Amino acid sequence: MALDQSFVGRTYPPTEPYEVGREKIREFAEAVRDANPAYTDTEAAKALGHPDVIAPPTFVFAITFKAAGQVVADPQLGLDYSRVVHGDQKFAYNRPVRAGDRLTVTSTIEKIRSMAGNEVLDIRGEVHDQDGEHVVTAWTKLVARPAEEA
């Protein structure tokens, strides 16, 4: 079943704030094997001009992908999540994510299209901090494979 094209441009409410902690940043940096000291050492981060440790660039994916869940869970859209694969991800930063940030994400459906029998859904997540400052924009592409015929 084709996704409802009238959803293009629909924006969902901001998420509850996610508080970025030093330990979460450290765990993430270890998981992706990035030894940049700005991710684990406050003094190293300050030497680079940051007020606290910063997060690796892909750290924000977990927050924005969870926010995209509002789109995925919208029953009116008609997306069968059991048929979805992650197609692509990109980020455009205004500044790094820092320990102590309280981030909210507002998701918008940018595009819906059919391609090679698949439905492709592009979601833009705008991430803001506790002061309303824009931190990063994330684009997530989801591909819904067609149902198998009996």
Side-chain angles (χ1 to χ4, degrees):
M1 178 168 93
L3 297 178
D4 187 342
Q5 288 287 328
S6 72
F7 276 62
V8 173
R10 181 173 289 193
T11 298
Y12 291 78
T15 61
E16 290 296 315
Y18 174 90
E19 188 163 345
V20 178
R22 284 188 192 113
E23 185 63 14
K24 285 290 184 187
I25 292 173
R26 184 194 62 75
E27 289 170 352
F28 188 88
E30 285 180 1
V32 298
R33 297 186 174 153
D34 192 330
N36 184 333
Y39 303 153
T40 57
D41 181 340
T42 304
E43 294 309 312
K46 286 181 178 179
L48 295 172
H50 304 291
D52 206 329
V53 295
I54 59 172
T58 55
F59 177 87
V60 78
F61 172 77
I63 304 164
T64 58
F65 193 73
K66 183 176 180 182
Q70 293 178 81
V71 176
V72 169
D74 188 334
Q76 295 175 338
L77 177 61
L79 182 66
D80 178 359
Y81 192 68
S82 71
R83 311 228 38 94
V84 170
V85 294
H86 184 247
D88 193 20
Q89 189 72 48
K90 64 182 179 178
F91 306 98
Y93 276 87
N94 282 337
R95 68 159 176 85
V97 170
R98 309 184 277 239
D101 279 340
R102 292 179 45 83
L103 303 175
T104 58
V105 183
T106 303
S107 296
T108 300
I109 298 175
E110 281 202 330
K111 190 186 307 182
I112 298 173
R113 64 190 181 289
S114 294
M115 190 167 70
N118 299 308
E119 294 290 320
V120 181
L121 176 66
D122 293 329
I123 303 167
R124 184 183 74 244
E126 298 289 347
V127 181
H128 292 85
D129 69 10
Q130 62 279 0
D131 298 322
E133 178 186 352
H134 181 257
V135 177
V136 58
T137 299
W139 290 270
T140 301
K141 185 180 302 291
L142 302 178
V143 180
R145 298 166 293 130
E148 296 175 12
E149 295 186 23

